[in-house]
Amino acid sequence: MKKAGILHKELGACISGMGHYDRLALVSCLYGIPKDAATIDLALKRGIPKMIDVLQALQEEMIIEKVMIAKEMEMNHRELYRYILETFRPQIVEMVPNEKLKEEAVRTKAFVRTGENIVFSNIIIQAGFSSE
C-alpha cells in the first residue's frame, strides 16, 4: 500500500501518465463536465475536498509550468485567487475570461471534479518537465 502522496487510484494513474504540456482541468462540483470527457471525481460533498487541497496535493506530485484561471475568480473566490498568486510565479499564471477557460478545458487530458462549491473556481494546470 502506498503510504504518502496521492492515494486516489485514478488520479495517481493520470498524473503518472502525463507528459510535458499535458493539462488537467480542476473543476468545482458546479461545473458542467462534457458527457464524454475523461473525469476523475473526487467530490464527496459540497465543500469537500476544497480546490486548494486538491491543488496542494497535485503540486507535491507533479511539475506545474502553467496555471490558467478565470479573471472572474478574483471577485468570486478571493481565497483561492490569493493562494494561486502567492504560490505560483506570476509569469506562469494566466488569467483569461471564463468562456476562454471553458474552451480550453475541453482540450485537457481529464477533468478532476472537486467538492468546491464557489463559481469561477476552476483551474487548468499544465505539466512541466524535469531534466534531472
Side-chain angles (χ1 to χ4, degrees):
M1 179 177 170
K2 188 175 176 183
K3 72 176 195 174
I6 291 177
L7 301 177
H8 191 278
K9 182 179 174 181
E10 291 81 13
L11 184 55
C14 182
I15 293 167
S16 293
M18 289 186 74
H20 189 210
Y21 300 122
D22 283 345
R23 300 186 303 168
L24 289 176
L26 313 179
V27 299
S28 74
C29 62
L30 307 171
Y31 193 90
I33 297 172
K35 185 174 85 169
D36 296 329
T39 303
I40 300 165
D41 197 342
L42 305 179
L44 180 61
K45 66 179 196 173
R46 289 185 185 265
I48 299 175
K50 290 182 158 289
M51 186 68 72
I52 289 175
D53 298 328
V54 174
L55 190 53
Q56 286 174 338
L58 289 168
Q59 285 175 267
E60 293 172 10
E61 296 279 327
M62 63 184 286
I63 298 167
I64 299 173
E65 76 173 13
K66 184 177 179 182
V67 179
M68 184 183 295
I69 61 174
K71 291 178 180 179
E72 294 87 345
M73 182 188 288
E74 181 178 12
M75 297 307 296
N76 291 277
H77 197 328
R78 291 175 193 236
E79 176 188 13
L80 180 58
Y81 180 78
R82 278 193 305 271
Y83 175 81
I84 290 168
L85 294 183
E86 291 169 3
T87 303
F88 296 98
R89 296 183 324 275
Q91 59 268 34
I92 73 165
V93 177
E94 181 180 358
M95 291 181 255
V96 298
N98 190 57
E99 287 305 313
K100 170 78 170 161
L101 190 77
K102 289 198 254 182
E103 290 170 12
E104 293 294 324
V106 298
R107 291 189 278 282
T108 61
K109 185 171 183 134
F111 285 84
V112 179
R113 184 173 178 258
T114 70
E116 192 64 60
N117 192 33
I118 300 174
V119 295
F120 303 114
S121 58
N122 308 305
I123 304 168
I124 294 174
I125 58 173
Q126 181 173 299
F129 74 97
S130 173
S131 57
E132 297 176 5

